[in-house]
Amino acid sequence: MIRLSNGGTDVLVDVTTGAPTIVHWGASLGAEVDLASVLLSLSRPIVHGTVDSVAPVSTVPEHALGFTGRPGLLGRRGGGLAWAPQFSAVSHHLSSDSKRLSVDAIDAVAELGLNVTFLLDDVLHVWATLTNTGDRRYSVDELTITLPVAEHASELLSFEGRWSREFHPMRGDWSSGSLLAENRRGRTSHESPPMLFTGERGFDEWNGEVWGAHLAWSGNHTMLAERLADGRRYLQGGELLHPGEVVIEPGQTYTTPRVIAAYSPHGLNIATQAFHRSLRALPNHPSTPRPVLLNTWEAIYFQHDTDKLKSLADAAADLGIERFVLDDGWFGSRRDDTKGLGDWWVSDVVYPAGLTPLIAHVTNLGMDFGIWVEPEMVNPDSDVFRAHPDWVLATPGYEPVLGRQQLVLNLANSAAFGFIVGCLNRLLSDHDISYVKWDMNRDHVQGSNQKGAAGTHAQTTALYQLLDELRRLHPNVEFESCASGGARIDHEILKRTERVWTSDCNDALERQTIQRGASMLIPPEIMGAHIGPTRAHTTGRTQSLSFRAATAMFGHLGVEWNVTKLTDEERTVLKAVIAMHKEHRELLHSGNVVRFDTDPAYNAHGVYAADQSEGIVAFAQLTTASSLTPPPLRLPGLDHAATYRIDHLRIPGERWGPARVQPTWLVSGVELTGRQLAAHGVQPPTMHPESALLLKLTRV
């Protein structure tokens, strides 16, 4: 038995079971624990009506041992042989700091080797490598990682979505059966983000044991939560493979994506903060203040004009914006979304003098310049496709299904890969560009390579290679992961990007839920959050500027609005909001994200400094409620012995609801202990639907 520990969490691994088995993943058992006693105390009875041994819920469960759930490895050799391997332990190695464990096992009959690696830092990382030790190829249909969870974890929290409505929570009972989420869209997806939480009955943001798992992969995936008939429970995740996508030749290997997992003894906040710390520890994680940006998409769409863009830049700089991002429409024949995609050279029609005059104007105003690209895609009506129709990810002999009038460019084709590297390298070398918004607007449908074999796995790995190469060539350029909004948000793509576009929806009411869900996985500094126009592009709703601003405040702030057409009042308010964000962004982008449990009519969340010295909290009224007066907002998680001053952080233009007198503390402030804030909290004002209150907490 091997123990991994990070202080608050223990992971005990039995390395004798072939594929290693996690015997305990949860609360620390103390420094003096007898590891053998754990295994002894958890030995299971052999009951009537079953086989004569109890198959372990190992990290790669084996049908050959009698495991009745979904096996961790599905595959075969020719003729259907070696379809149910049974591994035997060979060796294991524990790092000197006891944080990393590597376990090797073999199946001499099936001629396969299996390595499973565990790494415990802020979170638990687990991945597996399968080696073909035989002299014939081995086809892998599935290789997933399984994490057993406690049998009292009887509720599940998963997420669903669609375009412009990502990360919506689904919570339900897990008394029996399974929940399976599969994604075949070729990207992480809007619909089924690879993230599951389970916990003891009644768990919430601050209470109850919670286990969470995320698959760090940007392509097809499968996520499963299953309760076996004998009561044992497990979470399982891995890459979803199309037939024939992974065939291991003799001596070759296949390595799974990492499953990243977090445990909390005290609710969801602690678990999700661990996910955030894991991302913040990455070498490429932003270490400088996140520039407030303006994205041109909802300001001009495809109506590119240098003079108008210069005026837009002038207005942006006057507002305090620090980065100007030129969106779709600057290249080739791209005047709308039907043509030109793939022709990555500056259009001499809309930019006869090139991009340099516009970039110089932007940088002379003191702003960075960013640009939009979609390198994985091509329009049939493009010079690239006409010259190289064989470069697309489509099945020969069939009419391909279009999406947004486009096809997928096969990056696993070396010629296509080299072409894209060359185009983007020239673009970034020839221009003063510091930021790239990398989009991906189409699902994979019957996506095959030139020979007709399924190509999503190879496309995903080629995407990583492409980003790695461009980052090597241009180490000072930042990249944003966008895929029709939030369809590519995962911890693997974030090894290569500094920001994600959370959603194409800038409607602040929708964003309240979208951003709360996304905060389960990513911290605010990489979560793109924009103040859009008064009338939302995706929903048609109109909302006050103060509500839009309060919603976007808790992210990497941007503006996606034609700011040359603001009223004087709008300009004054927006300028003040940007200044407020800059004043507080060090806290917003470094603190611990906290969420609070409320009635569905409200949403409450915020950020506490790591040392609990200060915080900013938002309380939003989303819809009408049964009472005109919201309940007091209780704020647990602060130092109980400390005293905090609570002040209203006012956004200009705020309007409250129907009340003759609002709570006095909104004007005078109030001082409360951390214990008081957790016990009785503060009373929000009467509020209209689609409005928000910001609070500043300061330890005195």
Side-chain angles (χ1 to χ4, degrees):
M1 186 79 70
I2 303 297
R3 177 185 184 183
L4 307 176
S5 180
N6 64 8
T9 300
D10 274 2
V11 179
L12 271 57
V13 182
D14 184 348
V15 298
T16 69
T17 55
T21 300
I22 295 175
V23 176
H24 171 80
W25 166 37
S28 173
L29 301 178
E32 303 304 321
V33 64
D34 177 5
L35 299 183
S37 72
V38 178
L39 196 59
L40 180 63
S41 65
L42 296 176
S43 61
R44 299 180 68 84
I46 299 172
V47 300
H48 294 298
T50 64
V51 296
D52 293 342
S53 60
V54 179
V57 183
S58 68
T59 48
V60 184
E62 297 159 79
H63 172 75
L65 294 178
F67 181 73
T68 58
R70 188 169 69 171
L73 173 60
L74 296 174
R76 76 278 183 207
R77 297 194 190 275
L81 304 179
W83 66 276
Q86 182 176 331
F87 291 96
S88 300
V90 174
S91 63
H92 66 273
H93 175 74
L94 181 65
S95 64
S96 58
D97 61 1
S98 297
K99 298 295 185 183
R100 183 184 179 115
L101 172 65
S102 178
V103 183
D104 287 303
I106 62 168
D107 181 337
V109 177
E111 298 181 299
L112 295 171
L114 180 70
N115 172 271
V116 179
T117 302
F118 305 81
L119 174 64
L120 183 63
D121 44 36
D122 290 304
V123 291
L124 173 64
H125 311 250
V126 187
W127 66 98
T129 298
L130 186 70
T131 302
N132 182 359
T133 61
D135 58 6
R136 291 186 298 162
R137 59 173 48 185
Y138 185 84
S139 297
V140 179
D141 297 325
E142 193 169 274
L143 181 58
T144 52
I145 297 297
T146 297
L147 302 177
V149 294
E151 291 187 35
H152 62 274
S154 57
E155 291 187 24
L156 278 172
L157 174 63
S158 60
F159 298 84
E160 66 172 1
R162 59 163 169 80
W163 172 73
S164 75
R165 193 179 184 272
E166 296 87 343
F167 287 103
H168 274 243
M170 298 188 301
R171 179 153 175 176
D173 179 73
W174 189 23
S175 57
S176 63
S178 61
L179 171 70
L180 174 65
E182 294 185 336
N183 167 47
R184 293 177 175 83
R185 295 176 179 270
R187 53 186 179 176
T188 321
S189 87
H190 301 99
E191 295 76 11
S192 300
M195 178 169 60
L196 286 172
F197 292 92
T198 183
E200 63 181 304
R201 189 164 302 281
F203 76 87
D204 58 28
E205 294 290 354
W206 295 95
N207 301 287
E209 282 194 289
V210 171
W211 294 260
H214 163 63
L215 184 75
W217 183 246
S218 311
N220 294 338
H221 63 255
T222 178
M223 295 290 290
L224 173 70
E226 183 168 21
R227 180 185 184 272
L228 298 172
D230 64 10
R232 291 180 294 172
R233 303 172 189 266
Y234 65 90
L235 306 178
Q236 188 180 84
E239 182 182 8
L240 189 152
L241 297 169
H242 288 306
E245 277 198 297
V246 172
V247 177
I248 312 176
E249 299 293 343
Q252 292 186 345
T253 63
Y254 166 68
T255 298
T256 68
R258 294 190 181 199
V259 169
I260 300 176
Y263 165 77
S264 165
H266 301 300
L268 284 163
N269 278 317
I270 301 300
T272 60
Q273 288 166 13
F275 284 130
H276 297 178
R277 289 195 301 274
S278 179
L279 285 174
R280 285 171 168 169
L282 292 175
N284 67 297
H285 191 78
S287 58
T288 56
R290 300 292 77 218
V292 179
L293 64 81
L294 182 134
N295 185 280
T296 65
W297 179 242
E298 290 193 25
I300 65 165
Y301 297 103
F302 285 106
Q303 307 305 311
H304 286 234
D305 177 89
T306 300
D307 289 338
K308 290 181 179 178
L309 285 165
K310 286 181 177 179
S311 297
L312 189 64
D314 291 338
D318 181 65
L319 290 166
I321 287 169
E322 300 158 306
R323 174 174 284 163
F324 186 91
V325 181
L326 186 67
D327 212 283
D328 195 357
W330 57 268
F331 53 91
S333 58
R334 186 74 165 177
R335 306 289 81 78
D336 55 40
D337 67 358
T338 67
K339 55 184 176 293
L341 203 60
D343 299 339
W344 300 111
W345 43 86
V346 180
S347 169
D348 57 9
V349 175
V350 290
Y351 295 100
L355 286 177
T356 299
L358 175 61
I359 294 174
H361 185 82
V362 167
T363 55
N364 286 339
L365 290 168
M367 294 186 290
D368 295 340
F369 187 86
I371 201 161
W372 178 96
V373 296
E374 193 176 1
E376 299 157 75
M377 299 294 153
V378 63
N379 286 128
D381 186 0
S382 66
D383 292 347
V384 170
F385 181 81
R386 282 185 284 271
H388 303 283
D390 57 322
W391 281 4
V392 298
L393 197 68
T395 304
Y398 295 88
E399 183 67 26
V401 175
L402 295 179
R404 205 177 180 234
Q405 303 296 318
Q406 62 197 50
L407 296 168
V408 181
L409 193 69
N410 182 11
L411 296 178
N413 180 308
S414 59
F417 184 96
F419 169 79
I420 292 297
V421 169
C423 286
L424 297 185
N425 182 41
R426 282 191 296 274
L427 175 68
L428 298 176
S429 297
D430 295 347
H431 301 91
D432 187 5
I433 294 171
S434 60
Y435 182 83
V436 173
K437 178 183 177 182
W438 186 293
D439 211 342
M440 193 278 205
N441 282 303
R442 183 191 184 279
D443 290 344
H444 292 190
V445 179
Q446 203 186 23
S448 301
N449 60 26
Q450 195 172 351
K451 295 180 180 179
T456 293
H457 170 78
Q459 179 79 356
T460 307
T461 58
L463 164 68
Y464 294 152
Q465 292 165 7
L466 177 57
L467 282 165
D468 290 344
E469 177 63 8
L470 289 170
R471 293 182 66 88
R472 184 188 69 81
L473 293 169
H474 302 279
N476 296 321
V477 174
E478 292 186 1
F479 287 80
E480 172 186 320
S481 173
C482 173
S484 306
R488 189 183 274 160
I489 299 176
D490 62 80
H491 280 215
E492 187 64 26
I493 200 69
L494 282 165
K495 291 180 180 178
R496 300 161 173 86
T497 55
E498 285 82 6
R499 187 187 203 248
V500 298
W501 182 218
T502 322
S503 178
D504 278 347
C505 182
N506 285 321
D507 179 318
L509 180 61
E510 295 290 339
R511 274 283 182 149
Q512 286 283 330
T513 302
I514 292 168
Q515 291 176 193
R516 184 181 179 109
S519 76
M520 300 281 185
L521 189 63
I522 59 173
E525 63 269 23
I526 57 178
M527 185 192 302
H530 292 181
I531 299 172
T534 304
R535 185 177 180 85
H537 168 85
T538 55
T539 66
R541 289 194 189 102
T542 58
Q543 290 150 344
S544 69
L545 178 51
S546 63
F547 183 54
R548 284 140 55 208
T551 302
M553 186 73 65
F554 291 84
H556 181 177
L557 181 63
V559 176
E560 198 164 342
W561 190 8
N562 189 344
V563 294
T564 64
K565 297 184 177 181
L566 303 181
T567 66
D568 289 344
E569 181 183 2
E570 288 172 333
R571 186 174 295 104
T572 298
V573 172
L574 186 54
K575 193 169 187 174
V577 165
I578 291 170
M580 179 187 297
H581 179 81
K582 289 179 179 179
E583 179 184 355
H584 299 292
R585 69 180 161 191
E586 182 178 355
L587 169 60
L588 290 168
H589 292 170
S590 66
N592 292 327
V593 171
V594 288
R595 294 172 303 273
F596 306 95
D597 299 291
T598 65
D599 182 276
Y602 313 106
N603 183 24
H605 63 95
V607 175
Y608 290 167
D611 64 359
Q612 300 182 329
S613 62
E614 58 179 334
I616 298 177
V617 171
F619 179 82
Q621 174 118 17
L622 307 181
T623 64
T624 58
S626 57
S627 170
L628 282 173
T629 303
L633 174 61
R634 294 189 296 169
L635 302 176
L638 293 164
D639 182 350
H640 277 198
T643 298
Y644 293 87
R645 179 171 178 81
I646 318 301
D647 290 301
H648 172 208
L649 197 59
R650 185 178 180 276
I651 296 177
E654 285 179 334
R655 293 180 59 195
W656 302 129
R660 289 190 296 273
V661 178
Q662 296 285 19
T664 305
W665 73 265
L666 285 167
V667 176
S668 62
V670 64
E671 292 189 3
L672 302 170
T673 65
R675 188 180 300 276
Q676 284 181 277
L677 285 167
H680 62 69
V682 293
Q683 175 62 57
T686 298
M687 299 169 69
H688 288 299
E690 301 180 37
S691 62
L693 167 75
L694 298 184
L695 309 179
K696 180 68 170 67
L697 288 65
T698 307
R699 185 163 56 198
V700 296

